[in-house]
Amino acid sequence: MIDDETPVLDNHLHLDPDNNRGIDAVRDFARVGGTHMLVVNKPSWHLGVEADAGDDFRPVFERTIEIAADAAAELEGRAWPVLGIHPGLISRLVDERGYAPDEAREIMRAGIDVAAEYVESGEALALKSGRPHYEVDDAVWDASNAVMRRAFERGADLDCAVQLHAESSEEMTEVTDRAEEVGLPAHRVVKHYAGGRLEGPVPSVISEKDELKRAAERGEPFLMETDYIDDPDRPGAVLGPKTVPRRVAWLLENGHDEAVRNAHVETPKRVYGIDTETTLERR
């Protein structure tokens, strides 16, 4: 049972009120005890944006900021936007639109710079970047790492976190080494859709019981997420919006009170500088 003083944060989900459930999904989350969420922009091409320059991403970012504000109105806590460029865009630019990898790199780095403007103005909380989680050739891999490095550089400039979409692994210290080379501390790097054990970035653990049990028993900083994609064509692709609150209740029932505090109070404060306790007002 989740008590009135326990914040419940979904660290990574997408909302699409223009095409699917949107705020109804937020209401589902709130009804079962969810209080806070980080709303990540959907891949730009999913919203009909075929970018050729950094400014082309602005409609995606600005709509995400609006959606997060609408979500916050339904919550007893807060919702924050996380903005950036999905690493899969490079394959769309190179394989489908005919750009060279270095040209695609520059479009995506310019998009990161635009996302950073919203973080700098206080309209967004953090950046999103990464590299393909599937096999690509060396030129695309190198270009993708250069885009990720730009996100680390901007994160260091702004003292903000960077969420990563990247390959599955339990050992990614090479990635946090890259971040630290440009001044971004390892605890500001978050691996989205992570398992319960991860060296290097802070894991944002997909909220399946086995992975959460591993994270709880490990005792290191972690976050919880659903990666809810709000896509009517893929309703069962990932976890639904009620999952994080239900998994929090399950962790509490199984004696993992400290793990819940770790994932929903201590780690969000350390990674993002947000206070999920003082921003919680139970109605």
Side-chain angles (χ1 to χ4, degrees):
M1 183 71 177
I2 302 172
D3 66 35
D4 286 348
E5 296 180 359
T6 301
V8 175
L9 169 73
D10 189 329
N11 181 66
H12 186 110
L13 82 167
H14 308 276
L15 296 171
D16 191 353
D18 302 314
N19 299 293
N20 201 23
R21 299 196 64 226
I23 302 306
D24 284 341
V26 179
R27 293 179 182 129
D28 282 352
F29 173 75
R31 267 194 294 270
V32 292
T35 62
H36 296 73
M37 57 175 54
L38 268 57
V39 181
V40 183
N41 64 266
K42 294 188 85 168
S44 50
W45 63 96
H46 286 191
L47 301 180
V49 172
E50 298 291 357
D52 298 292
D55 279 337
D56 293 344
F57 295 100
R58 286 192 190 277
V60 176
F61 299 155
E62 291 176 0
R63 185 69 183 116
T64 305
I65 291 167
E66 293 171 354
I67 292 166
D70 291 343
E74 301 292 332
L75 298 172
E76 293 176 336
R78 290 276 305 275
W80 293 273
V82 174
L83 305 179
I85 309 302
H86 192 288
L89 177 61
I90 196 163
S91 296
R92 189 170 184 88
L93 290 169
V94 172
D95 297 339
E96 298 182 27
R97 300 187 59 207
Y99 281 102
D102 60 340
E103 295 171 325
R105 176 196 67 209
E106 292 310 303
I107 292 170
M108 294 172 70
R109 290 205 296 197
I112 293 291
D113 289 342
V114 172
E117 292 177 21
Y118 293 99
V119 175
E120 186 171 22
S121 69
E123 296 173 271
L125 178 67
L127 297 172
K128 163 191 170 179
S129 186
R131 60 192 186 189
H133 62 277
Y134 47 87
E135 189 170 341
V136 294
D137 65 33
D138 288 347
V140 169
W141 183 250
D142 291 345
S144 298
N145 278 308
V147 174
M148 186 173 67
R149 181 183 178 92
R150 175 64 62 88
F152 292 156
E153 290 170 345
R154 299 316 310 270
D157 292 342
L158 298 167
D159 192 24
C160 77
V162 178
Q163 286 197 14
L164 297 180
H165 181 111
E167 69 274 12
S168 296
S169 178
E170 291 188 355
E171 212 295 322
M172 298 187 74
T173 54
E174 170 258 337
V175 170
T176 46
D177 287 347
R178 289 173 184 261
E180 290 181 324
E181 284 174 5
V182 298
L184 184 67
H187 72 267
R188 295 283 200 208
V189 181
V190 177
K191 170 63 171 69
H192 137 69
Y193 208 100
R197 296 192 188 100
L198 179 62
E199 298 298 327
V202 174
S204 182
V205 179
I206 191 67
S207 291
E208 297 169 347
K209 288 182 178 179
D210 288 348
E211 297 302 337
L212 291 174
K213 188 171 184 290
R214 290 186 185 98
E217 292 174 349
R218 183 170 177 251
E220 296 295 321
F222 77 102
L223 298 152
M224 291 172 60
E225 69 166 75
T226 56
D227 191 27
Y228 176 65
I229 60 174
D230 206 7
D231 185 338
D233 295 327
R234 301 172 64 204
V238 284
L239 302 177
K242 298 178 184 177
T243 308
V244 165
R246 287 175 169 171
R247 294 292 185 263
V248 167
W250 173 77
L251 286 166
L252 293 170
E253 288 164 8
N254 285 275
H256 293 297
D257 299 54
E258 285 304 311
V260 169
R261 182 168 181 83
N262 179 359
H264 298 275
V265 177
E266 294 168 358
T267 303
K269 185 176 290 187
R270 176 169 171 75
V271 172
Y272 301 110
I274 57 177
D275 190 329
T276 57
E277 291 181 307
T278 61
T279 53
L280 176 58
E281 295 180 4
R282 293 285 188 181
R283 296 164 191 159

